[in-house]
Amino acid sequence: MMRYYYGCPDDEAFQFLASVYSRSHYNMSLSTEFQGGIINGASWYPIYGGMQDWNYIYGGCFELTLEISDDKWPSAEELPTIWEYNKMSMLNLVASLVKTGVRGRIFSSDSGRPLPGSITIKGINYTVNAGRAFADYYRLLTPGKRYEVMGSMPGYKPKSTSIWLEETATADFILDPDSALKDNTPRSICDCSYDSKAKLVLLEFLLGFHMEVCFVLIVIGALLCFLLKRRQKFTLGKHKQSPKRSVVV
């Protein structure tokens, strides 16, 4: 056994889920080696780079290790008994996951669209991200306590609410845009972004102006060429048709 207890930010929630499973088991909660039939994994034996820690930290998944038999490879004849011992534990664990915690959605107050923000609980250093499509979230918590829930999103003012969690609770957050964040954005004396935009607009105007002038000049040149050729043909035809006359001196 290890001397120190390595609990994660949601250690209370993990203890609650493990206790739900153990109390519903045939004899797991009667263990004389582990109090209540549960134990912190790191206190039992350490694992470095385990899947459970990675899923909890990066995937937001709460995972338990279920030791359901003293024999690593039980025989086929023992499987029906093991199933009877663990059946209600599994069902009750799934039911507790569905009905224990706070859920809701996050919206924008100006447009009403969903915001893929995040949810934090005061006193628990762990963040749950809302879904990107519908901005829905579910935060697993231990029932029978009061929690301060805060919804936040970059560019918006965070909001918080206090809930008393019996089994499940619903908390929707409608966040206001943080206009002060936009107004307090530091700008240099020469606003390069504005200057670049003005240059771009001027360039587009000059290009458009030059295109129009070139088009007009081409039309005028074509018209002059047409008139010049027409006049040449008219003059040439006139000389051919006029008779020669005698000059009287």
Side-chain angles (χ1 to χ4, degrees), residues 8 10-11 13-18 21 39-42 49-67 93 97 126 140:
C8 67
D10 284 287
D11 186 62
F14 279 105
Q15 289 191 40
F16 168 74
L17 296 176
Y21 194 97
I39 189 173
N40 178 267
M51 180 65 74
Q52 288 181 325
D53 293 339
W54 190 91
N55 286 337
Y56 174 71
I57 296 173
Y58 297 103
C61 300
F62 288 53
E63 296 187 8
L64 299 175
T65 298
L66 305 177
E67 300 287 349
L93 177 62
L97 292 173
Y126 187 77
L140 186 65

Side-chain angles (χ1 to χ4, degrees), residues 180-187:
L181 184 63
K182 298 178 180 179
D183 296 339
N184 292 334
T185 303
R187 292 185 178 180

Side-chain angles (χ1 to χ4, degrees), residues 25-143:
H25 194 270
Y26 179 78
N27 57 7
M28 188 178 289
S29 60
L30 305 177
S31 172
T32 57
E33 185 178 2
F34 307 120
Q35 183 178 359
I38 66 174
I39 189 173
N40 178 267
S43 297
W44 189 5
Y45 58 89
I47 295 178
Y48 301 97
M51 180 65 74
Q52 288 181 325
D53 293 339
W54 190 91
N55 286 337
Y56 174 71
I57 296 173
Y58 297 103
C61 300
F62 288 53
E63 296 187 8
L64 299 175
T65 298
L66 305 177
E67 300 287 349
I68 61 177
S69 175
D70 294 335
D71 189 358
K72 187 174 181 62
W73 306 104
S75 61
E77 291 77 11
E78 297 181 53
L79 295 181
T81 303
I82 294 176
W83 167 246
E84 288 298 327
Y85 283 9
N86 292 271
K87 178 174 61 176
M88 290 307 301
S89 295
M90 293 182 180
L91 294 176
N92 289 336
L93 177 62
V94 173
S96 66
L97 292 173
V98 173
K99 64 181 183 180
T100 302
V102 58
R103 67 191 67 192
R105 299 179 67 186
I106 306 176
F107 299 94
S108 172
S109 63
D110 56 346
S111 62
R113 63 185 179 88
L115 295 176
S118 58
I119 298 295
T120 54
I121 308 296
K122 185 177 180 180
I124 302 179
N125 186 23
Y126 187 77
T127 302
V128 172
N129 296 322
R132 300 192 64 83
F134 303 104
D136 56 325
Y137 73 90
Y138 179 74
R139 180 62 166 92
L140 186 65
L141 295 168
T142 307

Side-chain angles (χ1 to χ4, degrees), residues 31 50 67 100 122 146 205 212 219 230:
S31 172
E67 300 287 349
T100 302
K122 185 177 180 180
R146 183 173 296 278
F205 171 77
E212 293 177 357
V219 172
R230 186 179 179 85

